[in-house]
């Protein structure tokens, strides 16, 4: 079972293990939030992104978030996992998250994941107790134990159990792939390389609360059954070529976007 935990020092932090549930949200909690955007990562736009630095998410995570493991180079966002001492951890890892929250719309990212058992290369949206909200989440996670698949999943008020493994092909760490989801009040669709791979139409299994967008690469010594037995050999990097969010009714943000066929 997986779930994301909010860390007290973060504006909103995540991982899969369990979550606290705060009181019920008012009916108007879901509303228009941030505007459409596309980021080609020629640089890290600090007006959009917050870089996690100096903490970890608990005993299950064997690395410390470090700003030094996050950079934009060659038109790519690069998140790296590497040896490096920080507090009580012997590894450093990278994560960014949006400063603003986003609600219904189309979310798309072009990614090549990291290589290594015990690692998780993730593209997801999340909100939770650190933001005084209930835990909602929508996930793409490539686990280093088997990079030929990507796990899609969602949490509603901290309840998960919606996992599905989708074949990627030659390996998510060998080439770039396009990951996308279209989030609507009564429908949630996941796409891989333009192909619909999961279609959720049960409203009870669809998050309703605006969330932040995350990219993260982290490792574990403790979640071997889920992520594989950790075995570090050398630094490894998750690369993100592009991220786009298209609000409902807006024009698509780049040629070939899933949103171009929806609006």
């Amino acid at each position: 079972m997986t779930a994301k935990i909010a860390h007290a020092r973060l504006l909103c932090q995540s991982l899969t293990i369990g979550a606290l549930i705060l009181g019920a949200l008012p009916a108007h909690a879901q509303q228009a939030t941030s505007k459409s955007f596309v980021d080609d990562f020629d640089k890290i736009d600090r007006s959009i992104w917050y870089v996690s630095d100096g903490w970890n998410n608990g005993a299950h995570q064997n690395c410390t978030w470090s700003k030094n493991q996050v950079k934009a180079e060659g038109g790519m966002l690069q998140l790296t996992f590497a040896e490096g001492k920080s507090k009580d951890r012997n590894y450093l890892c990278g994560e960014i998250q949006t400063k603003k929250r986003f609600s219904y719309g189309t979310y798309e990212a072009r990614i090549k994941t990291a290589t290594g058992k015990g690692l998780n290369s993730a593209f997801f949206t999340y909100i939770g107790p650190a933001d005084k909200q209930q835990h909602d989440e929508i996930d793409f996670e490539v686990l280093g134990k088997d990079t030929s698949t990507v796990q899609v999943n969602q949490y509603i008020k901290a309840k998960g159990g919606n996992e599905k493994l989708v074949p990627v092909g030659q390996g998510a760490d060998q080439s770039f792939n396009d990951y996308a989801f279209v989030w609507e009040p009564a429908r949630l669709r996941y796409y891989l390389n333009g192909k619909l791979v999961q279609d959720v139409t049960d409203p009870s299994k669809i998050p309703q609360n605006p969330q932040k967008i995350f990219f993260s690469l982290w490792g574990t010594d403790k979640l071997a059954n889920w992520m594989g037995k950790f075995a570090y050999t050398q630094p490894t990097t998750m690369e993100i070529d592009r991220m786009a969010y298209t609000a409902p009714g807006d024009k698509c943000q780049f040629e070939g976007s899933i949103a171009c066929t929806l609006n």
Side-chain angles (χ1 to χ4, degrees):
M1 176 180 179
T2 65
K4 298 269 197 268
I5 295 179
H7 190 285
R9 291 183 58 190
L10 253 174
L11 299 175
C12 160
Q13 191 53 45
S14 70
L15 175 60
T16 46
I17 285 194
L20 301 174
I21 303 177
L22 302 184
L25 293 174
H28 63 271
Q30 176 63 277
Q31 55 186 326
T33 51
S34 299
K35 297 179 180 179
S36 300
F37 78 95
V38 60
D39 194 341
D40 292 320
F41 293 113
D42 293 324
K43 63 177 183 178
I44 298 176
D45 187 340
R46 299 297 178 131
S47 70
I48 299 175
W49 302 103
Y50 174 84
V51 178
S52 301
D53 184 56
W55 63 87
N56 61 68
N57 287 355
H60 47 271
Q61 182 175 326
N62 67 4
C63 57
T64 299
W65 301 126
S66 171
K67 63 183 180 182
N68 295 326
Q69 305 307 112
V70 179
K71 65 180 180 179
E73 186 173 282
M76 304 283 178
L77 172 67
Q78 298 183 347
L79 307 179
T80 299
F81 185 100
E83 285 185 306
K85 185 69 176 178
S86 179
K87 299 180 181 178
D88 60 345
R89 298 292 190 271
N90 294 318
Y91 300 95
L92 301 173
C93 49
E95 177 184 75
I96 64 169
Q97 56 180 286
T98 54
K99 294 180 176 180
K100 296 180 180 179
R101 305 176 193 183
F102 298 79
S103 57
Y104 303 129
T106 302
Y107 297 72
E108 302 173 87
R110 184 166 177 77
I111 303 169
K112 183 167 74 172
T113 67
T115 301
K117 293 181 179 179
L119 300 182
N120 186 327
S121 300
F123 159 46
F124 60 98
T125 58
Y126 169 85
I127 201 69
D131 288 294
K132 299 182 179 180
Q133 300 288 331
Q134 291 182 338
H135 173 187
D136 276 4
E137 183 177 334
I138 302 171
D139 293 314
F140 279 104
E141 295 174 294
V142 174
L143 310 179
K145 71 176 183 180
D146 181 10
T147 59
S148 69
T149 63
V150 59
Q151 178 180 284
V152 300
N153 192 22
Q154 67 270 5
Y155 288 82
I156 301 88
K157 298 179 181 179
K159 183 179 179 180
N162 303 300
E163 297 91 345
K164 178 180 179 180
L165 288 175
V166 178
V168 176
Q170 64 177 335
D173 59 338
Q174 299 301 306
S175 61
F176 282 90
N177 292 278
D178 294 302
Y179 303 86
F181 62 87
V182 181
W183 177 22
E184 299 170 307
R187 191 177 188 187
L188 175 60
R189 287 168 282 176
Y190 294 88
Y191 292 84
L192 176 62
N193 294 325
K195 179 182 178 181
L196 180 66
V197 294
Q198 174 78 316
D199 194 352
V200 182
T201 56
D202 181 349
S204 70
K205 295 184 177 182
I206 299 174
Q208 301 298 319
N209 296 306
Q211 302 170 49
K212 296 177 183 177
I213 303 167
F214 287 74
F215 292 99
S216 68
L217 171 62
W218 57 277
T220 184
D221 297 309
K222 299 182 179 298
L223 303 178
N225 287 341
W226 179 46
M227 289 169 51
K229 185 176 180 180
F230 179 76
Y232 180 83
T233 57
Q234 61 185 3
T236 185
T237 299
M238 173 185 180
E239 294 183 287
I240 301 94
D241 183 33
R242 179 183 58 238
M243 163 71 214
Y245 165 73
T246 308
D250 282 1
K251 66 179 182 180
C252 54
Q253 299 298 295
F254 63 93
E255 185 177 354
S257 165
I258 291 293
C260 297
T261 66
L262 297 174
N263 298 330

